Structures are given as C-alpha cells and as structure tokens.
Amino acid sequence: MEEEKKMVENKPEENKTEEKAEPVITQSMREEACPTCGATEPSMPAVLPDMSWSIEKLIAATKDKHMLVRSNAIMLLSKRDISESLEALIEALKDEEYLVKSNAMVAIAGYGKQVSDRMIEALEDADKDVRAGAAWVIGELKENRAVAALEKVAKDDYPLARIQAKASLIAMGRGPKKPEAQPPVAQTSEDSTEEGDKVAEKSEEKKAE
C-alpha cells in the first residue's frame, strides 16, 4: 500500500515536468526585439482589391480607411489606362501614409514620358505633397524641360519637396557644381629674386662655418 501511495504522489510531479511552460513575453521584450514593429500586429482587411474590380471601385478604394486597401488599389490602378487613373494617382500623393504616397509615385512614373506635362504642372500644385511627389517622378523621367520648375521647388517651404527636387536635379546632372581648382600662382620676378638671395645667404653661412 505504501508503494502505491508513493506512485500516486509521484505522478503529478512527473506530469508537471513533462508539460512545457509557455514562455512569458512582455510588451517591453517585444519592443526591445523590434522597436519599430509596435506592440500589436496590423489588422488585415476583409477584402483586398483585385483585377476584377472596376475603375470606379478602385478609385473609391484609394480613399479606404485601411492602408493596405489603398496601397493595393493604387498598384492596380497603374495597370489601367492613364486617362482613367492618372488624376486618382496624383490625388493619392496626398495620403497620410508614406507607403501609399511612394506607391503612387512609382505608379505615375511607370507611365513614362506621357505624364511629363502633367507632372511639370503638378510641381506648382497648391498641395505640398503633390509638389514633392511630382519632383520625384520628374527625376525618374529625367525630364529636362522641368529643370527650371525643379529649381523653384528646391527652395520650397516644405522640406520633403525640397529634398525630392534637389535629389532629382542631381540625378539629372543639374546638381550644385564643384568649385574648380585654382591654378598655381605664377611667381613674379621679385619673388624669384628674393628666393635666390636667401639661397645665396645660406650657402655663404655654410662656407663661413
């Protein structure tokens, strides 16, 4: 009986050792492991745009509350005819999320030189983010007709617009020029005479020694 009791008493302890305890992960540990990840994972939208959506539905999706919906809608719009999608893509440059803005810039640049006139016009847009986005697109297109307008945006009050414009000017070979090296100054006859006198004085001193 005593042996049976010992076996019964030992079983719970054995079970405890077999069960693996779940690791404790605190919020501070997560933030330390990935400071930029945030404490919570972003939620996934119920539905993401796809190629079957109409142009009207995709344009409406660029205003969706979920960033992933807006971002995907922009990339799908870039595959549609420019006459239907360009203005919606320019409007997306105003988005509060930089990922959405950058997707819109890439999408617009993907149309090539056919957007040049509209982008040059956008460099003078009242919205600061439209000016910044247009400045980046112009740099990708290497549109020399926009140099004067880019130089103006390079002095913009909005820092991002200034940075994009300056970067585009540099990419187009229109950045600030390096100061040219000054040629060596030619010696005058007076300078050469003075140097000759000094050499002569040194040689005389050595002879005296």
Side-chain angles (χ1 to χ4, degrees), residues 87-145:
E87 292 307 316
L89 292 173
I90 292 172
E91 186 68 19
L93 295 173
K94 303 175 185 178
D95 199 279
E96 60 184 10
E97 294 287 346
Y98 192 77
L99 174 63
V100 180
K101 292 182 203 287
S102 59
N103 279 355
M105 288 187 282
V106 171
I108 294 169
Y111 284 118
K113 293 272 188 171
Q114 59 183 323
V115 300
S116 293
D117 290 340
R118 183 65 183 89
M119 287 297 97
I120 293 172
E121 180 186 336
L123 288 173
E124 298 183 359
D125 196 274
D127 187 274
K128 59 184 182 180
D129 286 308
V130 171
R131 296 195 300 274
W136 184 88
V137 173
I138 291 292
E140 289 295 297
L141 300 178
K142 303 292 191 296
E143 182 52 77
N144 290 322
R145 292 186 295 124

Side-chain angles (χ1 to χ4, degrees), residues 37 40-44 66 68:
C37 294
T40 58
E41 294 181 2
S43 61
M44 286 297 293
H66 203 293
L68 292 178

Side-chain angles (χ1 to χ4, degrees), residues 185-200:
V185 179
Q187 290 184 340
T188 63
S189 58
E190 292 180 359
D191 293 335
S192 59
T193 303
E194 288 178 2
E195 287 184 5
D197 292 342
K198 288 179 181 178
V199 172

Side-chain angles (χ1 to χ4, degrees), residues 15-80:
N15 291 338
K16 285 180 183 178
T17 56
E18 289 176 2
E19 292 177 0
K20 293 182 179 179
E22 291 293 328
V24 177
I25 301 175
T26 64
Q27 182 177 337
S28 60
M29 289 168 67
R30 287 180 182 175
E31 290 175 350
E32 185 177 353
C34 183
T36 60
C37 294
T40 58
E41 294 181 2
S43 61
M44 286 297 293
V47 179
L48 281 173
D50 59 51
M51 290 296 292
S52 67
W53 286 26
S54 66
I55 188 73
E56 292 80 13
K57 193 173 180 181
L58 286 174
I59 291 173
T62 63
K63 301 293 185 182
D64 192 270
K65 64 180 181 180
H66 203 293
M67 180 187 70
L68 292 178
V69 173
R70 301 197 304 275
S71 184
N72 278 267
I74 284 166
M75 298 314 293
L76 290 170
L77 275 174
S78 68
K79 302 180 186 302
R80 302 299 178 91

Side-chain angles (χ1 to χ4, degrees), residues 166-178:
K166 289 176 181 178
S168 291
L169 285 168
I170 291 170
M172 295 164 64
R174 301 301 183 99
K177 294 182 179 179
K178 294 180 180 179

